[in-house]
């Protein structure tokens, strides 16, 4: 078998796994579907399955990769459209995009977070491309705000990590499902509590 044929077969197997995963998740819910069920439904062996995806979080992340890419494109476009606006306004736009994305994909996001951050043999979520992108984007916005004296002289790197941590999918789901906050109220309170105090009000 040629290398090209092997690559094509491998791609077809991965495509089959992802299509099966999406179908099962839609039908039964993310938490109610196991890796064993997915492998069986996709007609692939357990070894083949785990060689491609170490855990369900990795599988979810692969399934979400296109959505993450779209979010990244929207973020860059939004920041470009608002480049003449104060950093605080751009930061709020970034926050809204991220939380709206979380609202739409909360269950998958929570599974990704749980499996990747809590599994010893998996690459930590903070080393994944989506996390790195948002951390660098938020940090650079804070650095710009500090340089322009629009924000307090905070540690931009640390603050970026902290803000992302505060958008933990489990906490977001708790606020929405258990505490009764609407998606709009989550954004408003996040902004009022965590963003606004960091910026300097112009006199």
């Amino acid at each position: 078998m040629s290398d090209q044929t092997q690559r094509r077969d491998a791609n077809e197997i991965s495509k089959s796994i992802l299509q099966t995963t999406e179908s099962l998740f839609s039908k039964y819910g993310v938490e109610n579907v196991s890796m064993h069920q997915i492998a069986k439904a996709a007609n692939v062996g357990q070894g083949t399955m785990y060689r491609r995806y170490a855990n369900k979080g990795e599988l979810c992340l692969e399934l979400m990769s296109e959505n993450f890419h779209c979010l990244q494109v929207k973020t860059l476009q939004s920041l470009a459209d608002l480049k003449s606006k104060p950093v605080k306004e751009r930061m709020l736009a970034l926050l809204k995009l991220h939380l709206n994305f979380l609202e739409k994909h909360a269950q998958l996001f929570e599974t990704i977070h749980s499996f990747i951050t809590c599994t010893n043999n998996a690459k930590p979520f903070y080393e994944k491309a989506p996390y790195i992108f948002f951390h660098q984007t938020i940090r650079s916005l804070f650095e710009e705000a500090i340089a322009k004296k629009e924000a307090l002289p905070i540690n931009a790197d640390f603050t970026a990590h902290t803000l992302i941590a505060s958008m933990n999918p489990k906490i977001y789901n708790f606020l929405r499902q258990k505490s009764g906050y609407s998606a709009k109220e989550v954004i408003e309170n996040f902004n009022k509590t965590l963003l606004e105090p960091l910026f300097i009000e112009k006199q």
Side-chain angles (χ1 to χ4, degrees):
M1 183 181 294
S2 68
D3 289 342
Q4 185 175 359
T5 300
Q6 287 180 326
R7 284 196 297 271
R8 186 175 64 248
D9 289 346
N11 289 336
E12 288 175 354
I13 290 172
S14 294
K15 184 178 179 180
S16 175
I17 291 172
L18 292 175
Q19 288 177 338
T20 301
T21 300
E22 188 168 14
S23 176
L24 291 174
F25 282 177
S26 297
K27 188 174 182 179
Y28 302 110
V30 178
E31 294 299 327
N32 299 318
V33 177
S34 68
M35 294 285 279
H36 175 74
Q37 287 174 285
I38 295 169
K40 185 176 180 180
N43 292 315
V44 299
Q46 292 288 304
T48 299
M49 183 76 170
Y50 282 99
R51 278 194 296 272
R52 283 168 170 74
Y53 308 104
N55 53 58
K56 196 160 64 171
E58 290 279 3
L59 185 52
C60 287
L61 190 60
E62 181 68 20
L63 194 60
M64 289 284 285
S65 61
E66 183 60 29
N67 290 308
F68 277 128
H69 175 70
C70 290
L71 177 61
Q72 182 174 331
V73 170
K74 286 182 180 178
T75 298
L76 293 174
Q77 184 60 57
S78 176
L79 293 178
D81 292 342
L82 298 171
K83 63 182 179 181
S84 62
K85 300 294 184 180
V87 176
K88 181 180 177 181
E89 189 171 332
R90 281 178 274 157
M91 190 75 79
L92 181 57
L94 173 64
L95 165 68
K96 288 179 178 179
L97 279 174
H98 187 88
L99 289 178
N100 286 334
F101 179 80
L102 193 57
E103 172 74 16
K104 185 176 180 181
H105 303 288
Q107 194 176 23
L108 278 179
F109 226 136
E110 183 172 343
T111 302
I112 291 169
H113 187 273
S114 296
F115 277 82
I116 293 180
T117 59
C118 299
T119 304
N120 292 331
N121 63 349
K123 191 176 183 180
F125 186 62
Y126 54 78
E127 292 181 6
K128 296 288 185 180
Y131 186 99
I132 293 171
F133 168 76
F134 280 102
H135 175 265
Q136 291 176 341
T137 302
I138 293 171
R139 184 188 66 193
S140 66
L141 284 172
F142 274 126
E143 288 172 345
E144 180 186 342
I146 294 166
K148 291 180 175 179
K149 300 189 184 304
E150 294 180 19
L152 299 173
I154 55 176
N155 183 319
D157 180 77
F158 180 86
T159 305
H161 283 303
T162 303
L163 286 179
I164 295 174
S166 69
M167 291 184 273
N168 182 303
K170 289 183 180 294
I171 295 176
Y172 182 83
N173 282 339
F174 172 79
L175 290 172
R176 291 283 288 112
Q177 298 170 12
K178 302 294 184 181
S179 294
Y181 289 97
S182 67
K184 182 180 179 181
E185 287 173 333
V186 171
I187 292 173
E188 289 175 346
N189 282 285
F190 191 103
N191 179 45
K192 186 182 297 184
T193 305
L194 299 176
L195 276 187
E196 286 187 359
L198 301 178
F199 288 87
I200 299 171
E201 290 294 332
K202 291 186 177 181
Q203 300 298 322

